Amino acid sequence: MARVVMLRDQEPRCQIEEIDANDLPERSVSVDIDYSDLNYKDALAVTGKGKIVRDYPFVPGIDFAGTVRESRSDHYAAGDKVILTGWGVGERHWGGFAETMNVDADWLVPCPDDLSTRDAMLLGTAGLTAMLSVIQLEQAGLAAGGKVLVTGATGGVGSWAVQMLAQLGYDVEAVTGKAEQHHWLEELGASQIVPRSELDGDTRPLEKGRWDAAVDTVGGQMLAGVLARMNYQGRVAAVGLAGGTDLPTTVMPFILRGVSLLGVESVMAPFEQRQAAWQRLASLPRDLFTRMQTEEIGFDQVVEQAEAMLAGKTYGRVLINPQQR
């Protein structure tokens, strides 16, 4: 039997079910899931407030880490630690809110030896996306000691980006609308807190330059405000669309200041890039993991936490432990 969080198309609604393992999708690798985590897309799926899931019944969860139970692939054997992010898991294919899941071998990345499956999901898709953003900025020429802005800094990607950039020696400024989280962001490494209101309103195409680079996790009007304030040849790694898909700006930041807009999408990253990013994530100092605000929940708290996340009442990371009852 496999215990799963199953979405039903009647609102939709969630319920915890035990199903026969033979009813899981037939794939080449069976994984016993140690941890998944709650992402923004998961919250949209679970609450029915976003068009994330199209077919029902469905198991959400866009990533997970665990141990291979059975494998018909030459690349993995029983007992291997693995991580899954992307590939439409939790959107087009059944995902990580389960005790066991069957997946294609191509979807997996080996979990580095010195990274536990719990820490892998403490990072999760958010940590992977943050690291891919850092790598993109560095490859685009971000110099050591540069001033970097991170928007949506209390979210999963944003909070990891703040820590990683600060640990690498960059001067990090963090954007948030949550005054009560200023001290926590400073503990993560932010040198200054920028109120969300400074960037999320009407703005001219060009404002006074303030940052050499940015990781934007919001999009929409926020991204337009960031682009207008980049220094000459600034670089912006854009990773989120929570603020909308429209970009109310002009070509002026790109032509008159030579600003580069770098799209970062962990789902599309090739295996080699994802594996290299996970190896680099595994090398992060362990104190970064202990500093991260973390809540560990069981299946029965998923809906409550999803609603809180969409209401902007969560920060840091929410881990899901299938064994917690």
Side-chain angles (χ1 to χ4, degrees):
M1 302 295 288
R3 190 165 172 264
V4 301
V5 173
M6 188 76 78
L7 281 173
R8 299 288 184 180
D9 190 14
Q10 294 181 1
E11 285 298 327
R13 62 185 174 87
C14 283
Q15 61 189 49
I16 302 170
E17 292 187 7
E18 290 193 4
I19 65 175
D20 193 298
N22 293 324
D23 292 334
L24 294 173
E26 187 173 344
R27 305 284 183 183
S28 59
V29 182
S30 179
V31 180
D32 287 332
I33 297 174
D34 297 334
Y35 289 94
S36 183
D37 65 298
L38 187 68
N39 294 277
Y40 192 80
K41 281 185 178 179
D42 298 322
L44 290 173
V46 165
T47 60
K49 295 179 179 178
K51 296 181 180 179
I52 303 300
V53 175
R54 303 300 174 89
D55 298 318
Y56 298 89
F58 193 83
V59 177
I62 68 169
D63 54 20
F64 62 79
T67 305
V68 173
R69 173 187 286 193
E70 297 177 355
S71 174
R72 299 192 303 275
S73 166
D74 294 336
H75 300 290
Y76 298 100
D80 289 348
K81 292 193 302 178
V82 292
I83 303 167
L84 192 153
T85 61
W87 297 95
V89 171
E91 298 175 75
R92 298 190 305 275
H93 308 295
W94 283 12
F97 293 178
E99 292 179 334
T100 300
M101 188 52 63
N102 295 342
V103 298
D104 285 350
D106 291 346
W107 303 352
L108 300 169
V109 172
C111 185
D113 291 338
D114 48 356
L115 189 68
S116 70
T117 52
R118 186 183 190 280
D119 283 349
M121 278 301 100
L122 187 58
L123 290 158
T125 296
L128 174 63
T129 304
M131 179 56 76
L132 289 170
S133 301
V134 171
I135 292 172
Q136 283 262 43
L137 292 174
E138 290 177 341
Q139 290 176 343
L142 177 61
K147 183 169 288 189
V148 185
L149 180 75
V150 178
T151 70
T154 60
V157 178
S159 53
W160 274 120
V162 169
Q163 289 199 84
M164 293 174 192
L165 289 161
Q167 195 271 331
L168 291 168
Y170 297 107
D171 182 2
V172 184
E173 296 187 12
V175 180
T176 184
K178 302 176 181 178
E180 69 277 11
Q181 303 306 336
H182 287 194
H183 179 66
W184 177 64
L185 289 172
E186 290 168 351
E187 287 183 336
L188 295 185
S191 65
Q192 184 175 332
I193 308 300
V194 179
R196 181 183 178 119
S197 58
E198 287 190 20
L199 298 169
D200 203 18
D202 292 337
T203 186
R204 295 176 295 181
L206 287 179
E207 302 280 358
K208 181 180 179 181
R210 296 173 61 178
W211 302 289
D212 302 310
V215 176
D216 174 60
T217 73
V218 180
Q221 184 63 56
M222 176 72 72
L223 177 55
V226 171
L227 290 168
R229 294 166 174 82
M230 298 307 296
N231 291 333
Y232 180 67
Q233 292 192 334
R235 309 144 187 90
V236 180
V239 305
L241 297 173
T245 57
D246 292 335
L247 182 57
T249 188
T250 71
V251 298
M252 293 174 67
F254 310 107
I255 293 178
L256 300 184
R257 288 208 184 141
V259 174
S260 298
L261 181 59
L262 311 170
V264 178
E265 174 55 88
S266 61
V267 174
M268 298 298 294
F271 174 85
E272 293 76 12
Q273 290 184 17
R274 287 182 288 125
Q275 186 174 38
W278 278 111
Q279 290 294 339
R280 191 165 173 186
L281 287 166
S283 70
L284 292 172
R286 295 275 78 89
D287 65 320
L288 267 65
F289 294 86
T290 58
R291 265 186 273 165
M292 178 59 68
Q293 175 70 27
T294 308
E295 184 164 2
E296 187 170 321
I297 65 173
F299 287 157
D300 59 339
Q301 296 172 275
V302 166
V303 175
E304 176 186 350
Q305 286 293 321
E307 291 174 344
M309 179 172 287
L310 295 184
K313 297 179 181 179
T314 63
Y315 66 101
R317 304 290 289 141
V318 178
L319 293 182
I320 298 173
N321 181 349
Q323 305 306 318
Q324 183 169 315
R325 302 178 185 243

